[in-house]
Amino acid sequence: MPDATGASPAAALAAAGEEAAGLTTRILEARDAYYERNEVIVSDAEYDGLIHRLEELERLFPELASQDSPTQTVGGRAETTLFDPVQHAERMLSLDNVFSIEEFEAWAAKVQVSANRAVHYLCELKIDGLAINLRYENGVLVSAATRGDGVVGEDVTENIALVPGIPARLTGTGHPPLMEVRGEVFFPVESFRELNAAQSAAGERVFANPRNAASGSLRQKAEGKNPEQLALMTARLGRLRMLVHGIGAWQDPGADSQSAVYALLAGWGLPTSTHYKVVETPAEASAFIEYFGEHRGSVEHEIDGIVIKVDELALHDELGATNRAPRWAIAYKYPPEQVNTKLLDIVVSVGRTGRATPFAVMEPVRVAGSVVRQATLHNQDVVKAKGVLIGDTVVLRKAGDVIPEVLGPVVELRDGTEREFVMPQNCPVCGTALKAAKDGDIDLRCPNARSCPAQVRGRVEHIGSRGALDIEVLGEVTAAALTQPTVPETPPLDTEAGLFELTIDDLLPITVVVRDAETGLPREDEDGTVRQRSPFRRNPTAAEKKAGLEGPQPSSNAVKLINEIELAKTKPLARILVALNIRHVGPVAARALANHFGSLEAIRAASRDELAEVDGVGGIIADAVIDWFEVDWHREIVDRWAAAGVQFATPGHPGPGAAAAAGGVLTGLTVVATGSLEGFTREGAAEAIIAAGGKNASSVSKKTDFVAAGPGAGSKLAKAEALGVRIINADQFRVLLEHGPDGLAPAADAPASAEVEDAATVSTDTE
């Protein structure tokens, strides 16, 4: 039967699948930016809208729902290239949000009905920091880990030892054999101001807000730092603080309420907040919310809302949780703050896709915890709709307490000196005439995609990002130096095609303009000369001069960049596909294409139908892939990368759509890997299955032979049990990969998932 639009069920499912794939890509990109790069690319409201739409599609088309969906997972992941992974004994979940008293009261009413008895509510401040998990064994701190993906976090034990107030050994007696304590690491407001002053004085990065500073400070490595940098790192960690907001694994806390647990933890010397209150009614909780909404500035640290929890621990188990959030807790998010400031100018920026975006340049002003100088105005129609003139006093807010947004002008303060913004007709970077990509588009774009320096810089920066090839050192500043240097006149990279051909000799001549960390403007010497620096060279040391070395030497950044580029040549095919900047091909679609075809050559040779039929791809992405390869300079990128040694194929892959590699121990077998398998990343598990000759499947069916399940496996595990599919753990998975099914011991009566279920118990996390 056709749906309400007249489309057949198959067509409706296909359209929904394409939309869901696009939503998933955008959500994962936003999560990666926020949790891994301390950046924000969408507002809270836009992110919530993306999640809500994906949830709606999954309700309408259950076939699209999976345990790996962003609607079922916690944001973030462990950065295992810098830090050792640590598996939490219990999962660290996120929290659902409400944005009004009415929404909070509706949540409280649902809790009351489910509990069917008196409920007390613990109200506490939602600290804007970095979630941390402390593991104590018999009262001794044995590890500290970030939340990561909720199952596996990053080992930051060495750094946490330098944060004041966190005991290495608990005081008192009665400590449990194993206890996980969850909390938030943050900078007090005054310490954050001191930190930025110290960073600026040392010529180091100035942080935009305390949350980014806390994440960046705790997730730094001492390795490779000189004595001055080590001292700065130690000082930064010394300004951090932590407050406990919950517990994880703990067999018997010996208390019946969250507040009683707080008192017990405080008695053992752990830092707990004094800004919490237990109340008996939702009305009292609402009063707590409203009070701190009016007194946010009175707290010693930044807050972005209030967390309300059911105080009775027994009700936590009864109310349960979804895959990503407990039902016994909710976060009330405050509306963003608003301030007035002067609109000094509107300038146009060009991004990696060529889109020309007007930006408001304002007098610096502090709003919602950080200093704001710029805000996007999206396009010329938005500028007109907002009615702002250059020179206006404007109302500024932080949308979702994150993205700066100009609301409109304060017309009463105009004095006649204001002027209208005129959208330029040419690209402000390369001079090419701007035009709409297609008739009816509001946005104007620079069509000079190949060689516009702004677009090349953006693409090179994207290649270095964690979502693509994760090349350390290749961030915004380095990408600009390689594509838009002051010297030489011709930059080392006029397109990304030459990235893997770079040598130390290419880097040494580069000079860039030094910009002020506060204003972003070029710094000038006393005589008015614009200050410049050489990011990739240094003067020889005394020892080097004595050894006969003269002239500039490569800096540590130059050496690291070349080494990291060399390592990137062997990154998985899915990451290389993302790095090619093919429109619509994000991490999800890239992984699907890589797993199905196994090589770029096979992808390039595939027809539209063959591409579109791949699960997670669809027609829109298929068209984008085909269109990309039709451009001559795109093909040049592939040819030059291949000549430089970039591997465009997955070793051992059996070929497009094939289920097995000849002679592989998993020939003819279908395996699903789900949850957190110790020793394997998600991509690593899939590649290992394919290399052993098996078919790596994303969903469980009657045709599935094995399900390798770790903590957090969820619905795939339940489906495997229902269908009678054999379930194996990480150790058995390794045996299967090496010896095949014959290497496994006969299946025991008890399911291999027992340890998985025990490890997936719900715990608290208020980030």
Side-chain angles (χ1 to χ4, degrees), residues 355-372:
R355 180 183 175 187
T357 304
F359 273 84
V361 180
M362 298 164 290
E363 287 184 352
V365 62
R366 187 173 182 82
V367 53
S370 62
V371 175
V372 174

Side-chain angles (χ1 to χ4, degrees), residues 92-161:
M92 291 182 73
L93 299 184
S94 187
L95 287 175
D96 289 331
N97 298 321
V98 293
F99 300 90
S100 69
I101 294 296
E102 291 76 15
E103 289 179 346
F104 163 68
E105 290 174 344
W107 171 83
K110 186 182 295 184
V111 166
Q112 185 67 63
V113 170
S114 299
N116 198 28
R117 61 183 183 272
V119 176
H120 295 81
Y121 300 92
L122 185 147
C123 308
E124 60 188 4
L125 307 184
K126 187 174 185 297
I127 304 168
D128 194 13
L130 180 71
I132 199 78
N133 180 64
L134 306 179
R135 181 181 177 121
Y136 285 89
E137 294 181 3
N138 297 310
V140 177
L141 178 65
V142 295
S143 72
T146 62
R147 183 176 65 179
D149 64 359
V151 176
V152 177
E154 301 159 329
D155 187 350
V156 291
T157 310
E158 290 185 9
N159 286 352
I160 213 72

Side-chain angles (χ1 to χ4, degrees), residues 200-438:
S200 180
E204 297 284 341
R205 170 192 175 190
V206 177
F207 292 97
N209 55 62
R211 192 268 171 196
N212 286 10
S215 179
S217 297
L218 194 62
R219 299 167 68 210
Q220 57 182 327
K221 300 283 281 186
E223 183 180 347
K225 286 184 166 55
N226 61 40
E228 292 79 12
Q229 291 171 325
L230 282 174
L232 190 63
M233 170 181 167
T234 301
R236 280 169 59 181
L237 290 169
R239 289 189 174 95
L240 286 169
R241 295 295 182 270
M242 177 207 170
L243 287 177
V244 171
H245 60 49
I247 57 174
W250 190 348
Q251 189 171 3
D252 182 14
D256 59 2
S257 66
Q258 181 93 40
S259 53
V261 169
Y262 282 8
L264 181 61
L265 295 176
W268 287 342
L270 284 159
T272 57
S273 175
T274 57
H275 298 298
Y276 77 87
K277 183 179 182 180
V278 178
V279 300
E280 296 183 357
T281 67
E284 290 176 282
S286 297
F288 185 94
I289 291 170
E290 291 170 350
Y291 174 84
F292 279 101
E294 296 171 1
H295 298 84
R296 292 170 70 173
S298 68
V299 183
E300 65 270 21
H301 52 73
E302 295 285 352
I303 64 173
D304 58 358
I306 299 294
V307 176
I308 305 96
K309 304 174 182 175
V310 172
D311 196 34
E312 291 82 1
L313 292 181
L315 281 173
H316 291 192
D317 290 334
E318 292 181 27
L319 294 170
T322 64
N323 280 346
R324 65 174 301 275
R327 294 189 178 94
W328 45 264
I330 201 76
Y332 181 98
K333 299 293 289 291
Y334 285 126
E337 294 179 349
Q338 296 183 4
V339 296
N340 288 358
T341 187
K342 197 79 169 178
L343 178 61
L344 303 176
D345 200 359
I346 297 177
V347 298
V348 174
S349 165
V350 176
R352 70 182 172 103
T353 64
R355 180 183 175 187
T357 304
F359 273 84
V361 180
M362 298 164 290
E363 287 184 352
V365 62
R366 187 173 182 82
V367 53
S370 62
V371 175
V372 174
R373 300 173 183 84
Q374 290 188 335
T376 180
L377 290 168
H378 302 289
N379 55 58
Q380 66 271 30
D381 285 7
V382 170
V383 177
K384 188 178 297 184
K386 288 183 181 292
V388 292
L389 302 177
I390 298 170
D392 267 336
T393 296
V394 295
V395 180
L396 177 73
R397 74 169 180 180
K398 292 282 278 303
D401 275 353
V402 174
I403 302 294
E405 178 185 4
V406 173
L407 294 181
V410 183
V411 178
E412 295 81 358
L413 297 180
R414 285 179 174 166
D415 60 11
T417 62
E418 299 80 13
R419 67 184 191 279
E420 287 188 11
F421 164 72
V422 179
M423 188 71 180
Q425 294 182 335
N426 297 87
C427 173
V429 179
C430 71
T432 303
L434 298 174
K435 65 178 184 180
K438 57 184 178 181

Side-chain angles (χ1 to χ4, degrees), residues 447-507:
N448 181 21
R450 183 194 185 281
S451 54
C452 174
Q455 296 181 62
V456 178
R457 180 205 60 74
R459 294 197 300 270
V460 170
E461 182 185 350
H462 170 74
I463 291 168
S465 69
R466 289 185 178 177
L469 295 185
D470 195 13
I471 300 175
E472 194 175 349
V473 184
L474 186 55
E476 179 182 1
V477 174
T478 301
L482 294 172
T483 58
Q484 304 167 46
T486 306
V487 175
E489 251 181 56
T490 302
L493 297 180
D494 61 349
T495 75
E496 58 269 44
L499 178 64
F500 291 96
E501 302 165 0
L502 288 174
T503 65
I504 289 290
D505 290 340
D506 294 323
L507 303 181

